[in-house]
Amino acid sequence: MKTIYHNNLPHIQPIGGTFFITFRLEGSLPFQYLKKIRSELNDKIFEIKTSHYLDANQAIYNQRKIFFKKMDWGLDQVIDGTDFLKNEKVAQIVASKIHLYDGELYDLLAYCIMSNHVHLVFDTSIQLQDDEGFNLKNYTQVDEIMRKIKGGSAYEVNRFLNRKGKFWQQESYDHYVRSGKELTDIIWYVIKNPVAARLVENWEDYKFTYWKDCYNV
């Protein structure tokens, strides 16, 4: 079973891992802006690979985090891109689809549904907790989980809006969470996104923010 994929960005998806996913609407970022930040990332990676870095892998990892922050900043700033998720009924369809697989394919830890993108954090180790023993054939990987969430929600939203065509951008940004501290930092980042975007003063006031009650943030 593959655990590393390469599209526009590498996707590292260890079995049973905890993941931070960001997925966005089709047409939510200007092409030129995305092209610019991708070019900056590729230039930095080339520089790292052709220079004498003590830890090239860590340096590349840091550059990918910078790329993500630029992308997320762009999503919060765009005022003329697609923003279907501003519609509360549309956002509720997406939220319901995310909750649908909680307890089955993952342990849902947090999410935030913004006007044009979604941040999602879940732990897939729940799939390893089988009294009959773990069977790799029954394991649903992150890319398939996202197909279920994005495909199912896109179908329902398009029906609700009476529209056709692509709803979500095909590729998602996914990050394998490596430690408990990193997980805490990520959850805070997710639930405070509306505050950073100046939509609310307190994260608790944003309707489509969720974090698992038993997880102490």
Side-chain angles (χ1 to χ4, degrees):
M1 177 179 286
K2 290 176 64 177
T3 58
I4 300 178
Y5 301 82
H6 290 275
N7 292 311
N8 290 323
L9 289 170
H11 302 270
I12 303 172
Q13 301 174 355
I15 293 171
T18 297
F19 300 92
F20 169 37
I21 315 285
T22 296
F23 54 110
R24 62 186 179 91
L25 297 177
E26 177 74 10
S28 53
L29 272 179
F31 173 77
Q32 288 302 322
Y33 178 74
L34 193 58
K35 180 180 179 181
K36 175 179 179 293
I37 62 175
R38 283 196 188 282
S39 177
E40 291 171 350
L41 172 63
N42 291 334
D43 288 346
K44 285 291 186 180
I45 290 177
F46 178 79
E47 176 189 334
I48 291 167
K49 288 183 175 179
T50 55
S51 302
H52 298 289
Y53 276 75
L54 293 176
D55 191 341
N57 289 335
Q58 182 63 45
I60 291 173
Y61 171 75
N62 292 339
Q63 289 301 319
R64 296 197 189 284
K65 289 176 69 174
I66 291 171
F67 168 81
F68 167 77
K69 289 181 179 179
K70 289 179 179 179
M71 181 185 73
D72 200 38
W73 179 88
L75 287 167
D76 287 340
Q77 299 302 314
V78 168
I79 59 174
D80 58 355
T82 51
D83 58 359
F84 296 118
L85 299 175
K86 274 187 175 180
N87 185 316
E88 288 196 2
K89 291 185 178 179
V90 172
Q92 187 56 60
I93 289 172
V94 176
S96 296
K97 193 61 63 175
I98 290 172
H99 281 282
L100 179 63
Y101 303 106
D102 183 24
E104 176 190 353
L105 300 181
Y106 49 71
D107 185 11
L108 180 60
L109 302 181
Y111 67 73
C112 180
I113 301 175
M114 301 291 284
S115 65
N116 57 8
H117 66 289
V118 180
H119 293 307
L120 172 63
V121 186
F122 57 68
D123 177 5
T124 61
S125 66
I126 190 172
Q127 293 190 58
L128 309 183
Q129 300 166 15
D130 189 341
D131 293 338
E132 298 179 1
F134 172 63
N135 186 341
L136 194 60
K137 293 181 179 179
N138 297 329
Y139 183 79
T140 303
Q141 290 187 285
V142 174
D143 59 325
E144 180 58 28
I145 289 173
M146 295 312 301
R147 275 195 288 269
K148 288 176 179 290
I149 292 173
K150 293 167 70 175
S153 60
Y155 175 77
E156 292 183 27
V157 169
N158 278 342
R159 284 189 62 187
F160 171 72
L161 295 177
N162 193 27
R163 70 180 294 272
K164 295 181 180 180
K166 291 179 67 176
F167 185 72
W168 298 110
Q169 176 71 22
Q170 180 177 352
E171 188 170 25
S172 303
Y173 172 92
D174 58 76
H175 173 77
Y176 166 53
V177 182
R178 292 161 171 78
S179 70
K181 181 184 182 304
E182 185 180 37
L183 178 59
T184 300
D185 292 343
I186 287 172
I187 290 178
W188 269 119
Y189 181 90
V190 168
I191 64 179
K192 295 180 76 172
N193 193 179
V195 178
R198 299 182 179 179
L199 299 178
V200 293
E201 290 188 5
N202 301 300
W203 68 266
E204 298 95 334
D205 297 332
Y206 192 73
K207 186 171 183 178
F208 290 101
T209 293
Y210 166 88
W211 65 280
K212 189 170 183 179
D213 291 343
C214 69
Y215 190 84
N216 182 19
V217 296

